[in-house]
Amino acid sequence: MSTPADHRSIVVGVDGTATALAAARWAGDLAARQCVPLVLLGVAPALDHPLTAVALAETDLLPELRAAAQRKVEEAFAAVRGDQPQAEIQRIVEAGIPARKLIERSAAARIVVLAAKPTDRFSTLLLGSTALVVANKATCPVAVWRGKTDHPLPDRRPVLVGVDGSPGSAAAIGEAFELASVLDVGVLALHAWNDPDLLQWTPVPDAWTTLAQREKALLSERLAGWSEKYPDVAVTKVVQKSLPAQSLLEHAEDAQMVLIGSRGHNRLTGLLVGSTSQNLLHHSPRPVVICREQ
């Protein structure tokens, strides 16, 4: 099992929902295994929030809302403490906007964890706003927890990582090996290729076989050195001619989490999270960890 490179904390957003409670327990397990502190962060509305300032000032609700946020943090603390009696757990309640507070905490975090509701879509508050904003702007990996709330803790299934040759993918590979080593499980490295230009060809005999061999060599090249660094981690390589999101969702059923890299800023939107990442954030049955080049 590997030794953490530093003692940065794992930060998890707490909002009182069942998925947030499950995310906190999942994050607590990772923190205990990596011997790093777990930060349970609750966020109460602030007077400077443009949509709530007048209402809060007139009704004097701020103390009550802060107390409610504190109760949610204490509930999460009790749940995590039940799983991890010896873990170092910090309870923090701040006033402000959840996405902004999580992004601020990401500067000193090992990973930021937040929950997605099973019915989330772009129009909902959590995944449509907080999760995407944090995934785009956090300076550390961001895990959006998805799964069954009654079985949130890591298990014996492998860690699935998407490999495409981008800098973000390289960061995801490193994170996947680290987490797999910590969890004492294997890595399932998936490279899906679907070059539209190739579809215009009329392949000569064995052309697709040759192309598949080329893609297998690319995957091996991207993974080179990681098995030497993490000799305790078994690696399974999969190469498919398919859309990346489709292949990752198919293999996610047999994995315990999915790691992918961000694809860099889109020139039109300025977003880091690409279409594959957004597809997984909305449809993956497992936690999705988005990584970018540091």
Side-chain angles (χ1 to χ4, degrees), residues 97-237:
I97 300 173
R100 185 177 300 170
K101 291 300 180 181
L102 287 167
I103 292 167
E104 290 174 357
R105 292 275 171 181
S106 73
R110 167 78 180 80
I111 188 171
V112 167
V113 181
L114 64 165
K117 299 177 182 178
T119 56
D120 273 334
R121 294 296 184 268
F122 277 112
S123 59
T124 63
L125 177 62
L126 181 62
L127 192 55
S129 176
T130 302
L132 286 178
V133 170
V134 174
N136 277 304
K137 296 188 176 182
T139 56
C140 69
V142 175
V144 179
W145 190 90
R146 303 189 68 94
K148 297 180 179 179
T149 56
D150 54 343
H151 293 93
L153 300 184
D155 53 40
R156 301 302 306 162
R157 288 173 294 180
V159 170
L160 172 62
V161 59
V163 181
D164 63 13
S166 67
S169 172
I173 294 170
E175 187 70 21
F177 272 85
E178 169 66 19
L179 289 174
S181 180
V182 166
L183 296 170
D184 194 24
V185 298
V187 164
L188 176 58
L190 172 65
H191 173 54
W193 60 282
N194 187 44
D195 191 334
D197 293 336
L198 299 179
L199 301 181
Q200 307 303 316
W201 294 7
T202 302
V204 298
D206 298 327
W208 292 119
T209 300
T210 301
L211 290 171
Q213 290 173 345
R214 183 194 69 179
E215 300 302 324
K216 288 181 181 179
L218 185 148
L219 176 58
S220 295
E221 177 185 333
R222 298 294 183 242
L223 297 175
W226 289 106
S227 292
E228 288 78 9
K229 185 174 182 179
Y230 295 93
D232 57 325
V233 176
V235 182
T236 301
K237 302 176 185 178

Side-chain angles (χ1 to χ4, degrees), residues 10 24-40 76-91:
I10 292 179
R25 294 180 62 194
W26 182 81
D29 187 278
L30 292 183
R33 291 173 185 266
Q34 295 183 302
C35 300
V36 299
L38 176 71
V39 176
L40 300 173
F77 174 81
V80 176
R81 180 60 77 208
D83 296 329
Q84 313 296 338
Q86 305 301 321
E88 180 182 350
I89 307 173
Q90 301 174 14
R91 291 164 284 181

Side-chain angles (χ1 to χ4, degrees), residues 190-196 199 240-251 275-276 279:
L190 172 65
H191 173 54
W193 60 282
N194 187 44
D195 191 334
L199 301 181
Q240 289 185 336
K241 181 179 176 295
S242 174
L243 294 173
Q246 178 181 331
S247 292
L248 286 166
L249 286 173
E250 290 174 357
H251 287 277
S275 59
T276 298
N279 198 328

